[in-house]
Amino acid sequence: MEIQRKNILPIINKNVLLDIHYAYSSEKANLFYRGLFPAWYRNNKYYSIILYFVLLIRKFFSFSNLQFPNKNVPVLFLAYTNNQREAISLIKNKRNDSEIFGDDKFGDFTFPVYKSYILSLPYFNEILKIYKDSTNYLRLSMSFAFHEYWLTYGHFIMLVNFFKNSNVEIVVVANDQYLRTRLVPYVCDFIGIKSVYIQHASVSLDFPRLIFNYALLEGRDSLDKYLKIGKIDSEVFLLGSSKEPELNEMCTKGRVYNIGICFGLVDDVAKVETLIQEVLKSYDCSNIFLRPHPRESREAFLHGMLSKYNIGFSDSKNEPTSKFFKKVECIIASESNIHLEAVLQNIYSIYYQLTENDRQKYDAYGFLSAKLISDFTDINLLREILFKLKKEKPNVRNNARYYNDTIGTKFEGQSAVLYDEVISYIKTQNTDFIDKTFNVENINGVKVYSLG
């Protein structure tokens, strides 16, 4: 179907536009009040319009270095962050019919995004009208990200053309909230191909509802949360974590020798330093590793901590989580999915609150209420657990059964095999592996495949 202005506007109406930009438009996600937008954004529509043209020029001149040779890509994976690439890499490595696309940092190839900017130019008045009619949080969102909302129409057209030219049959994304990934199910529906969502981190009740053809989730926790969020349009498979290590790679040490301190974008650096000082009372500096979030930009603080306390450093921009986990037997973090990833590696995980409640909900992922981990923010409790862990580290992996469907099954440590087989089923509709591997049940009108 050829895309024309008259048939794209009914597809991307205002409600769809806001859904595609859920991370920005949703007051439930609340990124702008929480300060979680990119550092170069400003609360100014005119600045955002200028930024649009700056990005158009940058994309035009940078694309030539990463052009994709013309060939078929039956299974196309998308990665726009390090966490997303980690979520898909093990699956991609099993397939010879796929490629990873994204930006110039995380994709092996990039889309011709400069075309998206050019193709969106005629739709300026559509976005301007929505902006003028917007109020409250949506108005704030569009002031910051007018350029992103404007890009939607052209990016839709570019993806439709690219998917058709490359004979794409399945598109797999590891994020369901931002333009470049949430637009995918709308594009796929338009041209009649399949969209697949996998997790790159745990699910929060602040997420949008599932609208992909297939959702490959990690376990019951994710399914239960999505059922609470709203109507699920997807067939759901529970497959464990796509980043799950093989059994022989999991931590087997009986005590804690090394500790990782992990902190995120909204964590208070003063609290991080206080935590470092406290851990140094129990462990030598050579046994402590500081690991910031991959998008952490407070470089002066990082350098200050490393030089002042002479502790180790794990660069999350370049060191995968799996390699970091080989260095430690315990981690300490605030609100972060790394707690679950650590427990899956049989690494003891300590919750220590580093974030003020106005910037981050307490127990955002529900790890504490589900008793996956415990809160040791109280200094006395922290000292007590660190003392115990120096003597003995308990096995904790089985605590994650609710979160990871492979634990206790013959596929434990082999989640990538399951993801690969399910994607092959989606591509070919051959049900042999599916029929002999999964139990199928209908939960609130959703077809759910689980290992039982």
Side-chain angles (χ1 to χ4, degrees), residues 17 22 30 46 53 86 90 116 151 156 171 177 230 243 251 255-256 281 304 311 318 334 336 367 396 404 416 442 451:
L17 180 77
Y22 179 89
N30 201 22
Y46 299 104
F53 289 99
E86 283 190 16
L90 292 177
S116 302
L151 181 64
F156 182 97
V171 186
Q177 300 175 52
K243 297 183 280 186
C251 178
R255 51 182 284 207
V256 171
K281 295 176 183 178
I311 57 178
N318 298 303
S334 187
S336 173
F367 295 153
V396 294
N404 188 299
N442 187 294
L451 295 170

Side-chain angles (χ1 to χ4, degrees), residues 198-264:
I198 66 175
Q199 296 175 235
H200 78 271
S202 292
V203 175
S204 160
L205 290 175
D206 292 338
F207 281 21
R209 72 183 187 90
L210 285 173
I211 60 172
F212 298 79
N213 297 127
Y214 297 89
L216 314 188
L217 305 181
E218 296 178 357
R220 289 282 171 173
D221 169 74
S222 302
L223 175 61
D224 289 347
K225 286 174 180 172
Y226 274 119
L227 286 169
K228 290 178 182 177
I229 288 168
K231 180 178 179 292
I232 295 176
D233 292 339
S234 317
E235 284 191 25
V236 174
F237 285 81
L238 305 183
L239 306 179
S241 170
S242 64
K243 297 183 280 186
E244 182 178 40
E246 294 183 7
L247 290 176
N248 60 7
E249 295 178 326
M250 296 174 192
C251 178
T252 58
K253 293 179 182 176
R255 51 182 284 207
V256 171
Y257 299 91
N258 301 287
I259 287 186
I261 296 176
C262 311
F263 71 98

Side-chain angles (χ1 to χ4, degrees), residues 95-132:
R95 307 193 64 88
N96 59 10
D97 61 351
S98 64
E99 300 290 353
I100 299 178
F101 278 74
D103 60 15
D104 54 4
K105 292 181 181 178
F106 306 106
D108 295 331
F109 301 98
T110 62
F111 294 114
V113 177
Y114 73 92
K115 293 183 180 180
S116 302
Y117 284 90
I118 294 171
L119 291 167
S120 281
L121 289 174
Y123 297 91
F124 175 81
N125 286 335
E126 300 296 332
I127 297 300
L128 184 62
K129 182 179 183 302
I130 295 172
Y131 172 82
K132 288 180 177 179

